Amino acid sequence: MFQYRNAADADFPVIASFPQNEDEAFYMYPKATYPLTAEQLRAAAAGRSCPTVVTDADSVIAYGNLYEVNDGEDCWIGNVIVRPSSRGSGAAGYLIQALINRAAEEHRVKTVRLICHNTNTRALLFYAGLGFTPYEVRLQEGPRKLAGIRMSIPVEGQVTI
């Protein structure tokens, strides 16, 4: 049974092991270098809100957070990753719903946004299946030329977990 909680310092070495290759690390955290380290994650989390882990039988299986939070308006979901052996289990959907709930409850936002890269087909289909709608495409700056597809979902009417 899934549960969520704030990420603890001891969780970051575990989370850093989730990306299985450079592409997965890039999709999760484009500014980081691969292999991902706990220190990189701690630094990112320090500047973000609601660093959240999903657990199953006390094992950390997913992670994400919120950033650019505008209380009462909107925020962004970032750094989303699921442990490889837990992919396809529903943990990602649970994590996203937990982050939406936290955004609504703790920051009273009306809209939650995220960016998904055009080459991450599985994630694009996943987010669309959850109700996120694309609204803008931008070139992502960095070492790779990718399109960042900006997606959003209204908080009103979302199911709480």
Side-chain angles (χ1 to χ4, degrees):
M1 176 176 224
F2 300 139
Q3 295 184 320
Y4 72 89
R5 62 171 170 77
N6 283 333
D9 191 59
D11 297 327
F12 292 116
V14 174
I15 298 162
S17 73
F18 292 172
Q20 297 299 287
N21 56 50
E22 193 171 355
D23 285 341
E24 287 185 11
F26 180 81
Y27 293 150
M28 176 206 185
Y29 185 15
K31 294 179 182 177
T33 57
Y34 184 78
L36 194 59
T37 65
E39 291 73 28
Q40 290 178 86
L41 289 173
R42 282 186 194 104
R48 296 190 173 209
S49 180
C50 302
T52 302
V53 294
V54 172
T55 60
D56 187 16
D58 295 326
S59 293
V60 173
I61 61 168
Y63 173 73
N65 55 45
L66 304 176
Y67 67 101
E68 292 185 20
V69 176
N70 299 303
D71 283 348
E73 293 298 323
D74 63 359
C75 68
W76 294 79
I77 290 177
N79 298 144
V80 173
I81 189 80
V82 175
R83 180 178 69 186
S85 62
S86 296
R87 294 175 187 169
S89 71
Y94 185 89
L95 171 66
I96 298 303
Q97 192 59 59
L99 288 166
I100 291 170
N101 290 351
R102 293 191 74 180
E105 293 166 8
E106 297 174 35
H107 299 288
R108 302 170 318 283
V109 302
K110 297 176 184 135
T111 304
V112 174
R113 304 177 191 282
L114 57 81
I115 298 173
C116 191
H117 299 99
N118 66 295
T119 53
N120 195 351
T121 304
R122 183 175 178 178
L124 284 168
L125 294 171
F126 166 73
Y127 292 127
L130 292 178
F132 282 84
T133 304
Y135 68 90
E136 183 179 33
V137 178
R138 286 190 187 178
L139 176 66
Q140 289 297 113
E141 299 297 324
R144 302 178 189 196
K145 298 273 187 202
L146 294 175
I149 300 168
R150 293 169 180 244
M151 305 176 85
S152 67
I153 192 168
V155 170
E156 186 174 313
Q158 288 295 308
V159 177
T160 58
I161 52 175

